[in-house]
Amino acid sequence: MALLQIAEPGLSAAPHQHRLAVGIDLGTTNSLVATVRNGISTVLNDIHGCAILPSVVRYAADGSVQVGDAAQAMQSEDPHNTIVSVKRFMGRGLKDVGEVGNLPYRFVDAPGMLQLRTAAGVKSPVEVSAEILKVLRERAELSLGGELVGAVITVPAYFDDAQRQATKDAAKLAGINVLRLLNEPTAAAIAYGLDNAAEGVYAVYDLGGGTFDISILKLSRGVFEVLATNGDSALGGDDFDRRIYCWVLEQAGLSALSAQDTRLLLTHSRTAKEQLTEYPQTQITAVLSGGVVVDLTLTRDAFYEMTHNLVTRTLQATRRALRDAKLKVEDIKGTVMVGGSTRMPQVQLAVGEFFGQTPLNNLDPDKVVALGAAIQANVLAGNRSGDDWLLLDVIPLSLGIETMGGLVEKIMPRNSTIPSARAQEFTTYKDGQTAMSIHVVQGERELVSDCRSLAKFELRGIPPMVAGSARIRVTFQVDADGLLSVSAREMSSGVESHITVKPSYGLSDEEITRMLRDSAQHAREDMQARALREQQTEAAQLLEAVDSALQQDGDALLDAEAQKRIRTSMNALRAVVEGSDHVAIKRAVEALNAATTDFAQRRMDLSVKRALAGHKLSELEG
Amino acid sequence: MSLPANLSLQQDFFRLFNLSSRFQIDSAALEQGYLALQEQVHPDKYSHLSEAERRLSMQWATRVNEGYQTLRNPLSRARYLLSLHGVDTQEDSNTAMPADFLMQQMEWREALEETRHTENSAALEELEQRVQHQTRLLQQQLAIDIDETHDYAAASGIVRKLKFLEKLAEEIGSAFDELDS
């Protein structure tokens, strides 16, 4: 009979397992997933050996969904039901999307975020994005052979709160645990900086399919510090395509095209743009419905001319970022180019001229974001320790609240390092006022109507006082994902109101649950099985974390009694973790979390003392 | 949040970064202390740990960022230091300003409007430099008033002037943005 193995008390029974974590670049045009394998960040291919998944989703009347190449192949034939560049609609209302008239979709205006009518029903951009993420999650799980602990999802640095929240909701809907939302240029900087042992101040110029970001980062040994970021979340390669498309319409004397013809010409425009990277001129030839033939020659010079002001807009944002960082062009040691649209020669030339140096292109601009995200995911999942790095990122746009006369009072300025909290006091306007409406906005403009409205909520129960004597303290907290929550408190009575900024743009947890339930692929059993697996994964992680914390600091920080209490909670969790009752696991997880709160606090104090003593944790342990 | 009050989370920012409570500080030491603290408390280091540790990490990292921002900027550092000495700088309530200072402010604001109209970026840069020069002079005076003569009333007056200059500098920044777009 085989002998049963018993671990030494206080030591973890299993060796530290490598936790499966990925980085996902959810792009406007293409999406990718990457992971760290044997210490090297690698993009994961699909079963055909393809890394790039076109961000295209097609809905059929029978409820089936196609994603990627298969959907892309149908975009001209079935334009209403084939959603391209859905990222441009994330967290956006109909009025925010300027080029609605040029797009072959049946839009539905909805409060907060627009929706799209398809053969399979009305879909929100969050649901469409979730389909893309699901394919990438399945690809990763197949390729890595197990359930993911979580993923880092990248977002444009210039995405506002509504767009970030929508992205996080899409990940949840796709059954992905979001380890962190990471800004795309920052992800690229990680991949670039670690690869090149770069030191100094760098500019990351990221022109993607639909968004533009410029981030100024200070790289030093073990630290990536974003000094400033700027951009335009509605400027990218798609706009260059559209300039060609409009030129074609004008040259060929066309107007009011069908959805099919619009998509066909947009596709030809994109091909022409790509051709002009290689050749001085290109031919655009298409046969439209009704037999109209388009046959035009487009030269590189004409293309540069018609897109000149798009490039200029990116340089204006770049100047703003430099000014916010209080730096001059000469202070920039290198410019890292990211995003497929930076392949356009006129972009390379303009950026080179602006910074007075040749931009750095030594990493694949299509993959560098996913590669960097995977490296960060590996760290966040806890697969490295000791020699990792510090990442300090910022919020891209100021946050404020509406005051009298529709004006914005900024509470947290743009480029504040996150996580960040700011508070400001306001007072009542009328005698005896007992409620106050708080309208949270994001943007740089002075008028509320020119900024993005994020949420409105009410603080009630203010004790009646003379106008101007109540003191209402509004606190903004932005977490490490760049997501905002707001609380308001009347200082004399302590009446409090708190909101995670979601309702006007994001989805509530109930809505996500409903969508999950509605979706054909997720039968009820699936949902429960997933909930169970998620709880088990979380429980296992927690047990391992507490176990290693006890090993490190248990004896130093806790008496025997306190250690015993924590061990009892751990055993209670171990007793249910392999069972099938996810509610019982959840309760035991919560109980263990509560039992370790005081210990966590003592450990944090110890860490801070170590920092103050001027030592790195690694030195103390080593 | 039901955490017990934590002494070290509430200690003053100078102690947090291991600096002596003076207006003149070693900015390299501040940055070093900031990075050393973030290295210990940043949420990225806690994302795989328990909820209690993740929550504490966010509170700490937030506090460390707040402290760094407060001490790095000379105006907010002075305001903070004065508040530690129990002095309210009365930036909203006390609007009495020396006449010559106000005259100069008006002159600079007119110059700013002028450059906005004429879209003259060279003039805007020159104005920015003059404002920066004046800011530096006032900061030097602050160092004497706070660290040497401990004349906190005089220091409060300078803080109020610097607040004017900070607003003006922000508007100059917006004017540059407008020129760019």
Side-chain angles (χ1 to χ4, degrees), chain A residues 46 158 201 279 372 412 437 452 468 472 492 508 587 592:
Chain A
D46 67 8
Y158 215 59
V201 179
Y279 308 102
M412 196 182 289
S437 161
R452 170 152 304 266
I472 288 108
S492 61
S508 66
R587 276 204 206 103
L592 180 54

Side-chain angles (χ1 to χ4, degrees), chain A residues 18-25 31-37 42-47 50-51 53 132-153 174-176 374 377 530:
Chain A
H18 181 81
R19 302 182 185 87
L20 303 180
V22 295
I24 293 178
D25 175 3
S31 297
L32 295 101
V33 57
T35 196
V36 174
R37 263 182 182 153
T42 329
V43 172
L44 298 175
N45 294 341
D46 67 8
I47 49 170
C50 238
L53 178 73
I132 300 167
L133 289 169
K134 254 185 243 172
V135 170
L136 295 173
R137 173 173 67 82
E138 282 157 15
R139 180 193 293 187
E141 289 181 346
L142 191 69
S143 163
L144 301 174
E147 185 108 346
L148 298 181
V149 162
V152 167
I153 317 261
I176 294 172
R530 173 156 281 279

Side-chain angles (χ1 to χ4, degrees), chain A residues 474-552:
Chain A
V474 177
T475 306
F476 279 26
Q477 168 85 54
V478 175
D479 67 15
D481 289 328
L483 292 173
L484 171 69
S485 57
V486 182
S487 57
R489 179 198 257 273
E490 202 289 306
M491 298 306 278
S492 61
S493 64
V495 170
E496 188 150 5
S497 180
H498 180 90
I499 188 173
T500 301
V501 178
K502 289 193 77 175
S504 65
Y505 281 88
L507 302 170
S508 66
D509 286 344
E510 291 75 41
E511 278 177 287
I512 290 180
T513 313
R514 180 188 56 73
M515 285 179 177
L516 279 172
R517 210 180 290 131
D518 291 351
S519 113
Q521 289 99 323
H522 284 269
R524 202 175 153 68
E525 308 83 71
D526 273 6
M527 289 236 344
Q528 287 193 339
R530 173 156 281 279
L532 178 63
R533 278 204 309 277
E534 281 172 4
Q535 280 301 334
Q536 285 172 331
T537 311
E538 191 184 336
Q541 262 181 275
L542 178 64
L543 283 169
E544 198 185 315
V546 175
D547 205 50
S548 88
L550 280 174
Q551 276 180 51
Q552 268 177 22

Side-chain angles (χ1 to χ4, degrees), chain A residues 180 218 316 319-320 323 376 380 388-389 391 419 421 477 542 593 600-601 603-605 607 612 616, chain B residues 3 6 8 16 18 31 39-40 42 44-45 47 50-51 53 56-57 60 62 65 176-177 180:
Chain A
R180 185 75 78 234
K218 188 167 151 193
Q316 286 163 350
R319 254 194 294 276
R320 286 197 292 271
R323 202 158 41 239
Q376 188 67 5
L380 296 182
D388 57 4
W389 48 87
L391 192 64
Q477 168 85 54
L542 178 64
N593 267 325
Q601 185 126 10
R603 281 189 14 106
M604 184 63 82
D605 289 349
S607 291
L612 286 179
K616 294 174 92 166
Chain B
L3 287 167
N6 185 315
S8 39
L16 185 64
N18 230 351
E31 189 182 354
E39 206 155 289
Q40 295 297 326
H42 195 274
D44 286 355
K45 316 280 172 183
S47 65
S50 73
E51 191 191 319
E53 298 203 68
L56 273 169
S57 146
W60 264 101
T62 298
N65 276 333
F176 272 117
D177 285 352
D180 268 347

